[in-house]
Amino acid sequence: STYVYSAYASVWGVVVPLRADLRDEAGAGGALLTHEVVIRRRLDLTTAMRFRIGARILAIRAVDDGDATRRAIVCRCEEASA
């Protein structure tokens, strides 16, 4: 099957590379988490989405409430090839 992605929204965020010893397996899919992306809280994020930063693709593997203020979301991502 072929996936087709289209631009959904532009967001500002912080991209944090994970240290090699902090990388973890993400659930049953076994994806290697390589980055965390922190953005303003949105209710429409899913693990079927991805971030594009220039030519780099970060596939969202997990979404977590960032903090108690509920203003931020932390997306745990795997760097994917385009």
Side-chain angles (χ1 to χ4, degrees):
S1 67
T2 302
Y3 290 97
V4 177
Y5 290 94
S6 60
Y8 183 75
S10 293
V11 296
W12 287 90
V14 176
V15 178
V16 181
L18 297 177
R19 292 192 335 236
D21 59 339
L22 292 180
R23 292 180 181 180
D24 193 10
E25 296 293 319
L32 182 65
L33 300 177
T34 59
H35 294 78
E36 286 184 344
V37 179
V38 182
I39 63 170
R40 184 177 50 90
R41 188 167 190 262
R42 299 176 60 101
L43 299 176
D44 57 350
L45 283 177
T46 71
T47 55
M49 296 176 169
R50 61 192 193 163
F51 295 105
R52 181 177 196 111
I53 306 165
R56 297 176 73 184
I57 303 291
L58 300 177
I60 299 173
R61 299 297 183 217
V63 179
D64 186 28
D65 278 336
D67 57 17
T69 65
R70 301 179 61 100
R71 287 189 259 173
I73 288 244
V74 177
C75 299
R76 290 175 179 82
C77 301
E78 174 186 20
E79 187 158 10
S81 57

